[in-house]
Amino acid sequence: MSHQVTKDIHNKSHSTRNWQNRKYRVFRRDKWKCHYCNASWAILGHFPVGIFWRIKPENRPTVDHVIPKTMGGSNKHTNLVTCCSKCNTKKGNKFII
């Protein structure tokens, strides 16, 4: 395996880990509640991390870009909110005021 391929794999892994950390920080900041419908994944105000992967993927919290990336939105924490899959799908690529 070439040095460049190894470097690319490392960078992708590092980038994925950074995104996972950012999502978790957004979930914690938003107290594990959907920004749009207030659905909650919290148990008595906190969320045990080990339980996250036991939730069916379609029921897991997601991160929504308030201003979609296609409209110039960023991955900064100020543009990210916790969102349930249903609301995220419904919102799609729109900017809701």
Side-chain angles (χ1 to χ4, degrees):
M1 192 177 313
S2 76
H3 179 70
Q4 183 60 42
V5 171
T6 305
K7 188 176 177 182
D8 289 345
I9 290 170
H10 173 74
N11 287 342
K12 182 171 172 60
S13 172
H14 183 68
S15 175
T16 300
R17 192 169 42 252
N18 283 342
W19 177 245
Q20 293 300 323
N21 288 337
R22 183 171 300 197
K23 284 188 346 182
Y24 184 71
R25 286 192 307 269
V26 169
F27 295 156
R28 283 186 40 203
R29 178 200 66 201
D30 295 344
K31 297 181 173 65
W32 296 91
K33 285 187 179 179
C34 175
H35 179 76
Y36 303 107
C37 75
N38 280 328
S40 178
W41 296 269
I43 301 169
L44 298 176
H46 78 287
F47 191 88
V49 177
I51 209 168
F52 184 83
W53 298 111
R54 289 188 241 155
I55 299 172
K56 292 180 183 177
E58 64 271 15
N59 295 330
R60 287 182 191 155
T62 64
V63 170
D64 179 52
H65 291 83
V66 177
I67 301 172
K69 290 184 76 174
T70 57
M71 298 174 122
S74 71
N75 280 334
K76 290 183 178 180
H77 74 280
T78 54
N79 189 46
L80 302 174
V81 293
T82 301
C83 186
C84 69
S85 296
K86 189 175 183 178
C87 287
N88 204 344
T89 300
K90 186 177 178 180
K91 178 183 175 268
N93 198 26
K94 296 180 267 243
F95 176 57
I96 300 173
I97 298 175

